[in-house]
Amino acid sequence: MKIAIAGAGYVGLTSAVCFCELGHRVSLIEIDPGRLGDLQAGHSPIFEPGVPELLLAHRQSGALTVTDSLQAAVDGAGALFVCVGTPPRASGAPDLTALRHLIGQIGQVELSPDLVVVLKSTVPPGTNRWARSALGLPNPVVSNPEFLREGTAIADFFQPDRIIVGGPDHEALLRVAGLYAPIEAPLLLTDWEEAELIKYATNGFLALKISYANEIASLAEAIGADGLQILTGLGLDHRVGPAFLKPGPGYGGSCLPKDLAALRWKARQQGVRLELLPAAERVNQRQRERLIDRLRAELGGLAGTRIAVWGLAFKAGTDDLRGAASATVIPALLQEGAEVRAHDFAALTAFEQLCPPEQCSGLRLTQKPLEALHEADALLLLTEWPAYAEIPPEAIQQAMRGDLVLDARNLLDGVAVRKVGLRYRGIGRGR
Ligand code: UDX
């Protein structure tokens, strides 16, 4: 089938190339001229493993066309996927400006009556219902939330834990579900609001789980126990499961923080008092502060020190800084008079835009991990790029002036690091 997709961000572009892999023809709509040009040339505007290759392949095969014309994209299409961004406002409310504009445009073009409008963007409960009435057309509207993680989006598309399709038109639900064939996954057909809230409920729970892991790790640290062993034991309970129990610098990304804020906003709007999600957010913020407190305590103060930071992206496998620990920790270190040298394998350019020299004097970004270590009093590891664990502890020790290694991802081999005379501190690793 021909599928139209509006919005070529992480979700839209990944979905476009993956639907092509499933044998569909896709017309991807991008209104930004710069991104449109890149996409037409087969250059991926996003850093997502596997997407650049699939984009180029399907541009060359002709399965994927890119256009700025909604009409051209929907002509002959059986479905139009809405994948525009819904970024958070200060209140936590998702900004639906782009979505509203697109729904208005859809109402103006010629649509085949059996084309299904599919909302894949993460939207507050009630948005699909609003879209159906705002469209003023007989076309069915279906909610089909995505659960793609940055860095593993393609794998998550082809091996989903479930496919959720929501709306009142059962035949339309089955048509949308059929687009994913032959992917084998549990299929849940719901109404609109259920599908919309499943997305938020999932991300809210993942954030809760991470914050819970971080709290248990803090307690383990205080009693000198190994938090990783405790969390492994917890995860072996089939009612808990091992995933998302890794303690770290606190969750980041474009979704978990945004979706928690949206859930809280929606609950306030509905007069429902939420206790757990605000706590998860407080624990998350505190996790960053604890890293700075640890450095200050171990170094006897931060002013005049030099801190090496390995990892800027919110997690390994992406160049995305949204919600990243580095975005709060590095400015705080600079604020206290520390000098920072930072490295990342993908997010250096993005961080330079976030923290330009005129705003972040005292920060130097380095192309190589060891350059960041030069004469450093401490190393703070924030992003679990596997290559950091390949660097010999001797090289770390020789490059540094001091001996403190604060590994916020428990990525490095603490025994090997201690063996070369460095003070290794993990997260939740006891004394
Ligand atoms: C998340 C959801 O997983 C995905 O389903 C949704 O569609 C988009 O939001 P993403 O933000 O890409 O995906 O990354 P994810 O892998 O979920 O990690 C989110 C944050 O939690 C990262 O900062 C990560 O480092 C952190 N995390 C994750 C932990 O601190 N501990 C863990 O055990 C897992």
Side-chain angles (χ1 to χ4, degrees):
M1 179 197 285
K2 180 186 173 183
I3 293 172
I5 296 183
Y10 280 98
V11 176
L13 178 53
T14 302
S15 302
V17 298
C18 290
F19 274 130
C20 287
E21 283 289 281
L22 291 178
H24 298 291
R25 284 178 299 112
V26 175
S27 183
L28 180 59
I29 306 153
E30 175 52 62
I31 56 173
D32 175 287
R35 287 173 80 108
L36 181 66
D38 284 344
L39 291 160
Q40 282 168 336
H43 302 146
S44 171
I46 61 166
F47 179 101
E48 181 58 43
V51 167
E53 294 80 359
L54 291 181
L55 169 62
L56 194 57
H58 289 299
R59 287 290 296 131
Q60 287 169 345
S61 76
L64 176 62
T65 54
V66 186
T67 176
D68 57 0
S69 157
L70 177 60
Q71 186 64 68
V74 297
D75 283 349
L80 166 59
F81 280 79
V82 173
C83 299
V84 293
T86 54
R89 293 180 186 281
S91 66
D95 180 348
L96 300 182
T97 307
L99 182 96
R100 289 199 179 94
H101 177 67
L102 179 61
I103 293 294
Q105 284 185 310
I106 296 170
Q108 308 298 317
V109 295
E110 286 297 309
L111 284 189
S112 139
D114 62 3
L115 176 138
V116 186
V117 177
V118 185
L119 267 59
K120 188 170 272 296
S121 302
T122 302
V123 293
T127 305
N128 276 269
R129 194 173 297 274
W130 162 81
R132 178 70 178 72
S133 66
L135 267 180
L137 296 169
N139 297 71
V141 171
V142 165
S143 170
N144 176 221
E146 49 79 25
F147 302 93
L148 307 178
R149 289 167 294 167
E150 290 184 43
T152 57
I154 290 179
D156 292 341
F157 185 98
F158 288 114
Q159 290 109 37
D161 289 322
R162 73 300 206 191
I163 294 172
I164 305 287
V165 192
D169 182 328
H170 190 73
E171 187 273 332
L173 299 191
L174 294 177
R175 259 194 290 152
V176 172
L179 296 176
Y180 290 91
I183 292 172
E184 300 269 320
L187 173 63
L188 188 60
L189 304 182
T190 71
D191 203 341
W192 283 315
E193 283 75 13
E194 288 77 5
E196 289 162 335
L197 200 45
I198 285 169
K199 167 68 181 180
Y200 283 108
T202 302
N203 277 359
F205 185 77
L206 293 174
L208 268 180
K209 201 172 177 186
I210 292 164
S211 284
Y212 183 73
N214 283 329
E215 281 209 311
I216 292 299
S218 302
L219 182 58
E221 221 165 87
I223 63 174
D226 183 343
L228 294 192
Q229 212 169 40
I230 294 165
L231 291 163
T232 300
L234 166 65
L236 288 170
D237 186 315
H238 78 278
R239 296 165 299 180
V240 176
F244 282 63
L245 282 179
K246 285 201 194 95
Y251 59 79
S254 63
C255 292
L256 266 53
K258 160 177 75 75
D259 292 353
L260 252 78
L263 265 174
R264 294 187 62 191
W265 164 79
K266 189 65 186 174
R268 278 198 304 274
Q269 214 196 29
Q270 303 293 135
V272 173
R273 186 177 169 76
L274 299 182
E275 304 289 351
L276 295 175
L277 296 181
E281 288 180 330
R282 282 196 302 274
V283 169
N284 205 54
Q285 179 53 38
R286 183 82 195 96
Q287 203 63 8
R288 279 98 198 260
E289 292 160 5
R290 286 167 55 84
L291 292 174
I292 298 162
D293 295 347
R294 283 291 286 279
L295 286 170
R296 192 187 304 111
E298 299 263 6
L299 295 175
L302 291 169
T305 63
R306 177 178 289 180
I307 313 287
V309 174
W310 277 359
L312 298 169
F314 82 88
K315 66 171 185 175
T318 179
D319 64 350
D320 199 344
L321 291 172
R322 287 174 288 185
S326 61
T328 46
V329 170
I330 290 179
L333 292 174
L334 296 173
Q335 185 66 36
E336 286 204 36
E339 197 188 322
V340 175
R341 291 180 177 219
H343 171 269
D344 191 278
F345 288 98
L348 283 177
T349 309
F351 203 84
E352 185 152 27
Q353 283 154 12
L354 184 81
C355 218
E358 58 275 16
Q359 280 170 26
C360 297
S361 62
L363 168 64
R364 257 190 62 191
L365 300 175
T366 68
Q367 295 297 327
K368 291 193 171 43
L370 286 177
E371 281 172 24
L373 282 180
H374 181 63
E375 293 295 298
D377 298 301
L379 165 61
L380 170 63
L381 190 148
L382 290 178
T383 309
E384 70 289 14
W385 291 104
Y388 289 139
E390 308 301 313
I391 297 172
E394 299 78 0
I396 297 174
Q397 190 272 331
Q398 278 152 25
M400 289 176 68
R401 175 170 69 191
D403 63 356
L404 177 62
V405 174
L406 179 49
D407 179 0
R409 295 290 188 163
N410 296 314
L411 178 77
L412 305 178
D413 175 346
V415 173
V417 169
R418 286 197 178 101
K419 211 176 267 182
V420 298
L422 292 169
R423 279 185 289 157
Y424 177 85
R425 301 283 184 273
I427 294 285
R429 308 301 298 275
R431 294 273 172 255

